[in-house]
Amino acid sequence: MPELPEVETTVRGLRPVLEGRRIVGVRANRPDLRRAMPVDLGQRLTGARVTSLGRRAKYGLIDTDRGDTFVFHLGMSGRWRVDPSEDLIHDHLVLETDEGRRLALNDPRRFGSVDLVPTADIADWGPFAALGPEPLGEDFTPAHLAAAFADRISPVKALLLDQRTVAGLGNIYVCEALHMAGIAPNRAGGRIATRRIAPLVAAIRDVLVAAIEAGGSTLRDYARPDGELGYFSKQWRVYGREGELCGCGTVIRRRVEGGRSTFFCPQCQR
C-alpha cells in the first residue's frame, strides 16, 4: 500500500501540473472506488482553479478557489498518470486542465477513494478528526510520543501504526525506523526508556525524508506520476530482507502479527 512517502511524492509530482491551473474537464469512468464518488464531482470541479496541493497522513489534498478540497487516497494500488498516451481500463477518473494537461487516476484494485470536502471543514472531516500529528511536522515531538506511550502495554510497532498516535506511518517505515532506533518492535510502549524516545522520533523523520527523496518504495503497481518507480527499497535496512544479514552480521527475521509482516534484527533491536 502506498504510504506517506509515496503520497508525498505523488503530491509533489502533481503540483507543477495542477497548481494555479483551471480544471476544464472531469470524466468519471465509474461511480465508485472503495466507496461512491461524490455525485456532483464534475459540477464542483469543472471550472475551478487549483490553489494549492498538500497531504494529510496518507491522503492527497487539492484545494480549489471554490472553497472545496479534493481528497484522494491511493488505496492498495492507486496512482496518478500524467499526460497518458492512452486510456487504460483502470483509469477511473480523468481530469483535464486549461493547459491541455491530462491526469488519470488509475486504481486496479479500487481500494482508493475520492472525496470533496469544504476546505474550512477539512480538519474535522471524519477520517481526519482523530488523526495524530504529522511525523514531519512540529507537533510530532519526543514529549508527544512519550505521552502516547506512557503506561501502554501494546507493542511499540502497533502504537506507531495507530493513526491516533502519529498520522501516516505504515508498515514499511515503522519497521525501518524501529531498526534505525534499535528498538524491538514487540517491546511494550510503556517500557521504552525516556532517553530512547528522542532517537526514535529522529529515526522516523530520517527514514521518511530519505524515502521521499528516493521517490518512495516500489510496491506492486505503485509508481510516481511521471511513471518512474521509487527506489527507496534499495535502501531498506530490514523490511523485506528476511534471511539476509543485518549490518551487524545477524540474520534478519520476520514475524507475522495481525496479518502484517514485521522485519527486525534480534541483535540490534532490544
Side-chain angles (χ1 to χ4, degrees), residues 141-169:
T141 62
H144 166 79
L145 205 55
F149 287 174
D151 301 322
R152 300 295 299 274
I153 63 173
S154 297
V156 60
K157 184 188 175 191
L159 292 173
L160 291 175
L161 288 174
D162 186 337
Q163 301 298 291
R164 296 169 297 182
T165 302
V166 54
L169 292 185

mmCIF file of all heavy atoms in Angstrom, residues 141-169:
data_model
loop_
_atom_site.group_PDB
_atom_site.id
_atom_site.type_symbol
_atom_site.label_atom_id
_atom_site.label_comp_id
_atom_site.label_asym_id
_atom_site.label_seq_id
_atom_site.Cartn_x
_atom_site.Cartn_y
_atom_site.Cartn_z
ATOM 1 N N THR A 141 6.739 15.468 18.554
ATOM 2 C CA THR A 141 7.890 15.707 19.419
ATOM 3 C C THR A 141 8.123 14.509 20.337
ATOM 4 O O THR A 141 7.241 13.665 20.532
ATOM 5 C CB THR A 141 7.642 16.938 20.301
ATOM 6 O OG1 THR A 141 6.505 16.671 21.150
ATOM 7 C CG2 THR A 141 7.369 18.188 19.458
ATOM 8 N N PRO A 142 9.308 14.413 20.933
ATOM 9 C CA PRO A 142 9.536 13.361 21.929
ATOM 10 C C PRO A 142 8.516 13.417 23.065
ATOM 11 O O PRO A 142 8.089 12.368 23.567
ATOM 12 C CB PRO A 142 10.953 13.655 22.424
ATOM 13 C CG PRO A 142 11.626 14.293 21.249
ATOM 14 C CD PRO A 142 10.550 15.153 20.622
ATOM 15 N N ALA A 143 8.131 14.608 23.474
ATOM 16 C CA ALA A 143 7.151 14.728 24.561
ATOM 17 C C ALA A 143 5.814 14.133 24.149
ATOM 18 O O ALA A 143 5.146 13.449 24.937
ATOM 19 C CB ALA A 143 6.990 16.199 24.951
ATOM 20 N N HIS A 144 5.395 14.398 22.905
ATOM 21 C CA HIS A 144 4.136 13.822 22.413
ATOM 22 C C HIS A 144 4.216 12.311 22.409
ATOM 23 O O HIS A 144 3.285 11.621 22.865
ATOM 24 C CB HIS A 144 3.830 14.328 21.006
ATOM 25 C CG HIS A 144 2.749 13.534 20.321
ATOM 26 N ND1 HIS A 144 1.410 13.728 20.584
ATOM 27 C CD2 HIS A 144 2.821 12.511 19.412
ATOM 28 C CE1 HIS A 144 0.697 12.877 19.861
ATOM 29 N NE2 HIS A 144 1.529 12.128 19.155
ATOM 30 N N LEU A 145 5.319 11.755 21.895
ATOM 31 C CA LEU A 145 5.430 10.302 21.789
ATOM 32 C C LEU A 145 5.542 9.659 23.168
ATOM 33 O O LEU A 145 4.952 8.600 23.419
ATOM 34 C CB LEU A 145 6.642 9.939 20.931
ATOM 35 C CG LEU A 145 6.582 8.587 20.229
ATOM 36 C CD1 LEU A 145 5.319 8.460 19.387
ATOM 37 C CD2 LEU A 145 7.815 8.395 19.354
ATOM 38 N N ALA A 146 6.255 10.293 24.062
ATOM 39 C CA ALA A 146 6.367 9.772 25.425
ATOM 40 C C ALA A 146 4.994 9.705 26.090
ATOM 41 O O ALA A 146 4.670 8.724 26.776
ATOM 42 C CB ALA A 146 7.322 10.636 26.248
ATOM 43 N N ALA A 147 4.178 10.736 25.886
ATOM 44 C CA ALA A 147 2.832 10.740 26.462
ATOM 45 C C ALA A 147 1.968 9.648 25.841
ATOM 46 O O ALA A 147 1.165 9.002 26.527
ATOM 47 C CB ALA A 147 2.186 12.108 26.266
ATOM 48 N N ALA A 148 2.122 9.432 24.536
ATOM 49 C CA ALA A 148 1.335 8.404 23.849
ATOM 50 C C ALA A 148 1.735 7.002 24.294
ATOM 51 O O ALA A 148 0.905 6.085 24.285
ATOM 52 C CB ALA A 148 1.508 8.544 22.340
ATOM 53 N N PHE A 149 2.996 6.818 24.682
ATOM 54 C CA PHE A 149 3.498 5.503 25.099
ATOM 55 C C PHE A 149 3.285 5.222 26.581
ATOM 56 O O PHE A 149 3.329 4.069 27.006
ATOM 57 C CB PHE A 149 5.004 5.397 24.816
ATOM 58 C CG PHE A 149 5.361 5.238 23.363
ATOM 59 C CD1 PHE A 149 6.698 5.250 22.975
ATOM 60 C CD2 PHE A 149 4.390 5.073 22.387
ATOM 61 C CE1 PHE A 149 7.048 5.098 21.643
ATOM 62 C CE2 PHE A 149 4.729 4.929 21.049
ATOM 63 C CZ PHE A 149 6.068 4.936 20.682
ATOM 64 N N ALA A 150 3.083 6.258 27.368
ATOM 65 C CA ALA A 150 3.052 6.121 28.828
ATOM 66 C C ALA A 150 2.062 5.054 29.286
ATOM 67 O O ALA A 150 0.877 5.082 28.916
ATOM 68 C CB ALA A 150 2.709 7.469 29.468
ATOM 69 N N ASP A 151 2.564 4.106 30.061
ATOM 70 C CA ASP A 151 1.763 3.042 30.684
ATOM 71 C C ASP A 151 1.090 2.118 29.674
ATOM 72 O O ASP A 151 0.210 1.334 30.064
ATOM 73 C CB ASP A 151 0.685 3.639 31.607
ATOM 74 C CG ASP A 151 1.274 4.493 32.711
ATOM 75 O OD1 ASP A 151 2.331 4.117 33.241
ATOM 76 O OD2 ASP A 151 0.686 5.540 33.041
ATOM 77 N N ARG A 152 1.489 2.172 28.409
ATOM 78 C CA ARG A 152 0.875 1.314 27.404
ATOM 79 C C ARG A 152 1.575 -0.038 27.351
ATOM 80 O O ARG A 152 2.813 -0.109 27.331
ATOM 81 C CB ARG A 152 0.917 1.969 26.020
ATOM 82 C CG ARG A 152 0.190 3.308 25.926
ATOM 83 C CD ARG A 152 -1.310 3.163 26.138
ATOM 84 N NE ARG A 152 -1.928 2.306 25.129
ATOM 85 C CZ ARG A 152 -2.350 2.752 23.944
ATOM 86 N NH1 ARG A 152 -2.209 4.036 23.624
ATOM 87 N NH2 ARG A 152 -2.915 1.925 23.097
ATOM 88 N N ILE A 153 0.790 -1.109 27.291
ATOM 89 C CA ILE A 153 1.359 -2.450 27.188
ATOM 90 C C ILE A 153 1.371 -2.945 25.747
ATOM 91 O O ILE A 153 1.957 -3.982 25.447
ATOM 92 C CB ILE A 153 0.597 -3.453 28.081
ATOM 93 C CG1 ILE A 153 -0.871 -3.582 27.615
ATOM 94 C CG2 ILE A 153 0.680 -3.052 29.543
ATOM 95 C CD1 ILE A 153 -1.635 -4.685 28.345
ATOM 96 N N SER A 154 0.775 -2.207 24.846
ATOM 97 C CA SER A 154 0.772 -2.584 23.437
ATOM 98 C C SER A 154 2.183 -2.475 22.873
ATOM 99 O O SER A 154 2.969 -1.617 23.288
ATOM 100 C CB SER A 154 -0.158 -1.671 22.633
ATOM 101 O OG SER A 154 -1.488 -1.791 23.063
ATOM 102 N N PRO A 155 2.522 -3.330 21.902
ATOM 103 C CA PRO A 155 3.847 -3.245 21.276
ATOM 104 C C PRO A 155 4.054 -1.888 20.616
ATOM 105 O O PRO A 155 3.127 -1.289 20.075
ATOM 106 C CB PRO A 155 3.818 -4.368 20.231
ATOM 107 C CG PRO A 155 2.756 -5.309 20.690
ATOM 108 C CD PRO A 155 1.727 -4.452 21.368
ATOM 109 N N VAL A 156 5.297 -1.425 20.639
ATOM 110 C CA VAL A 156 5.600 -0.112 20.082
ATOM 111 C C VAL A 156 5.245 -0.046 18.604
ATOM 112 O O VAL A 156 4.781 1.001 18.116
ATOM 113 C CB VAL A 156 7.083 0.246 20.311
ATOM 114 C CG1 VAL A 156 8.018 -0.752 19.650
ATOM 115 C CG2 VAL A 156 7.388 1.642 19.808
ATOM 116 N N LYS A 157 5.424 -1.128 17.880
ATOM 117 C CA LYS A 157 5.084 -1.088 16.465
ATOM 118 C C LYS A 157 3.596 -0.814 16.279
ATOM 119 O O LYS A 157 3.196 0.000 15.445
ATOM 120 C CB LYS A 157 5.469 -2.387 15.761
ATOM 121 C CG LYS A 157 5.193 -2.307 14.259
ATOM 122 C CD LYS A 157 5.367 -3.632 13.546
ATOM 123 C CE LYS A 157 4.959 -3.480 12.082
ATOM 124 N NZ LYS A 157 4.851 -4.785 11.397
ATOM 125 N N ALA A 158 2.746 -1.505 17.056
ATOM 126 C CA ALA A 158 1.303 -1.289 16.946
ATOM 127 C C ALA A 158 0.925 0.138 17.306
ATOM 128 O O ALA A 158 0.040 0.739 16.680
ATOM 129 C CB ALA A 158 0.556 -2.280 17.845
ATOM 130 N N LEU A 159 1.594 0.701 18.296
ATOM 131 C CA LEU A 159 1.303 2.074 18.703
ATOM 132 C C LEU A 159 1.668 3.064 17.600
ATOM 133 O O LEU A 159 0.957 4.041 17.374
ATOM 134 C CB LEU A 159 2.055 2.418 19.986
ATOM 135 C CG LEU A 159 1.594 1.672 21.249
ATOM 136 C CD1 LEU A 159 2.526 1.978 22.407
ATOM 137 C CD2 LEU A 159 0.155 2.039 21.613
ATOM 138 N N LEU A 160 2.782 2.822 16.914
ATOM 139 C CA LEU A 160 3.189 3.727 15.844
ATOM 140 C C LEU A 160 2.305 3.594 14.612
ATOM 141 O O LEU A 160 2.147 4.551 13.852
ATOM 142 C CB LEU A 160 4.650 3.476 15.466
ATOM 143 C CG LEU A 160 5.682 3.883 16.513
ATOM 144 C CD1 LEU A 160 7.071 3.458 16.071
ATOM 145 C CD2 LEU A 160 5.635 5.390 16.770
ATOM 146 N N LEU A 161 1.721 2.428 14.413
ATOM 147 C CA LEU A 161 0.805 2.245 13.287
ATOM 148 C C LEU A 161 -0.588 2.800 13.586
ATOM 149 O O LEU A 161 -1.384 2.992 12.669
ATOM 150 C CB LEU A 161 0.688 0.750 12.932
ATOM 151 C CG LEU A 161 1.919 0.131 12.263
ATOM 152 C CD1 LEU A 161 1.725 -1.373 12.112
ATOM 153 C CD2 LEU A 161 2.183 0.763 10.913
ATOM 154 N N ASP A 162 -0.861 3.058 14.855
ATOM 155 C CA ASP A 162 -2.138 3.654 15.251
ATOM 156 C C ASP A 162 -2.136 5.116 14.798
ATOM 157 O O ASP A 162 -1.336 5.921 15.275
ATOM 158 C CB ASP A 162 -2.300 3.560 16.768
ATOM 159 C CG ASP A 162 -3.667 4.024 17.253
ATOM 160 O OD1 ASP A 162 -4.340 4.813 16.542
ATOM 161 O OD2 ASP A 162 -4.064 3.611 18.359
ATOM 162 N N GLN A 163 -3.026 5.454 13.878
ATOM 163 C CA GLN A 163 -3.037 6.798 13.305
ATOM 164 C C GLN A 163 -3.366 7.885 14.320
ATOM 165 O O GLN A 163 -3.154 9.064 14.061
ATOM 166 C CB GLN A 163 -4.007 6.860 12.131
ATOM 167 C CG GLN A 163 -3.672 5.889 11.007
ATOM 168 C CD GLN A 163 -2.319 6.186 10.382
ATOM 169 O OE1 GLN A 163 -2.145 7.195 9.706
ATOM 170 N NE2 GLN A 163 -1.332 5.311 10.603
ATOM 171 N N ARG A 164 -3.868 7.491 15.488
ATOM 172 C CA ARG A 164 -4.125 8.467 16.545
ATOM 173 C C ARG A 164 -2.829 8.874 17.250
ATOM 174 O O ARG A 164 -2.756 9.944 17.856
ATOM 175 C CB ARG A 164 -5.110 7.899 17.569
ATOM 176 C CG ARG A 164 -6.498 7.627 16.999
ATOM 177 C CD ARG A 164 -7.352 6.819 17.960
ATOM 178 N NE ARG A 164 -6.776 5.498 18.194
ATOM 179 C CZ ARG A 164 -7.327 4.556 18.959
ATOM 180 N NH1 ARG A 164 -8.469 4.810 19.581
ATOM 181 N NH2 ARG A 164 -6.744 3.371 19.100
ATOM 182 N N THR A 165 -1.824 8.022 17.168
ATOM 183 C CA THR A 165 -0.516 8.340 17.759
ATOM 184 C C THR A 165 0.262 9.279 16.863
ATOM 185 O O THR A 165 0.791 10.306 17.308
ATOM 186 C CB THR A 165 0.295 7.053 17.990
ATOM 187 O OG1 THR A 165 -0.439 6.161 18.835
ATOM 188 C CG2 THR A 165 1.637 7.367 18.633
ATOM 189 N N VAL A 166 0.350 8.913 15.596
ATOM 190 C CA VAL A 166 1.051 9.721 14.597
ATOM 191 C C VAL A 166 0.430 9.381 13.255
ATOM 192 O O VAL A 166 0.117 8.228 12.973
ATOM 193 C CB VAL A 166 2.572 9.460 14.626
ATOM 194 C CG1 VAL A 166 2.894 7.983 14.479
ATOM 195 C CG2 VAL A 166 3.288 10.291 13.584
ATOM 196 N N ALA A 167 0.210 10.389 12.431
ATOM 197 C CA ALA A 167 -0.542 10.199 11.190
ATOM 198 C C ALA A 167 0.360 9.797 10.033
ATOM 199 O O ALA A 167 1.400 10.418 9.805
ATOM 200 C CB ALA A 167 -1.285 11.487 10.822
ATOM 201 N N GLY A 168 -0.050 8.753 9.323
ATOM 202 C CA GLY A 168 0.587 8.449 8.050
ATOM 203 C C GLY A 168 1.629 7.365 8.050
ATOM 204 O O GLY A 168 2.089 6.953 6.985
ATOM 205 N N LEU A 169 2.045 6.892 9.221
ATOM 206 C CA LEU A 169 3.052 5.842 9.228
ATOM 207 C C LEU A 169 2.436 4.506 8.820
ATOM 208 O O LEU A 169 1.306 4.192 9.176
ATOM 209 C CB LEU A 169 3.682 5.699 10.621
ATOM 210 C CG LEU A 169 4.555 6.853 11.100
ATOM 211 C CD1 LEU A 169 5.192 6.505 12.437
ATOM 212 C CD2 LEU A 169 5.627 7.196 10.077
#
